[in-house]
Amino acid sequence: NLIGAKSVGGGESAERQNYQLERRTNIGNPVWTPVGPAKPGNNAAQSFTDSTSPALPSAFYHVVVSP
């Protein structure tokens, strides 16, 4: 889910999992770039903010489970 222009929120996170926000500026580019550090799951909803995004005209985001 995209909340506002710069924050991404989602469902509940699972303990013992880490979640990483990733971004790409071109939907056709297969490479995703990590944004900030991964966040540990805590059985609650997580929010992610891309503080560098105001400089970008547009961006695409997703959150992945990371090691």
Side-chain angles (χ1 to χ4, degrees):
N1 297 334
L2 185 61
I3 302 169
K6 309 301 178 204
S7 296
V8 177
E12 290 186 3
S13 61
E15 287 185 10
R16 296 188 296 269
Q17 297 287 340
N18 291 311
Y19 296 87
Q20 177 66 56
L21 177 65
E22 295 183 338
R23 169 188 71 217
R24 61 183 176 187
T25 55
N26 180 335
I27 196 69
N29 182 351
V31 177
W32 290 91
T33 302
V35 177
K39 292 185 175 186
N42 61 359
N43 289 328
Q46 294 288 332
S47 292
F48 297 86
T49 301
D50 182 357
S51 60
T52 63
S53 65
L56 301 172
S58 65
F60 302 91
Y61 297 90
H62 71 180
V63 175
V64 296
V65 175
S66 66

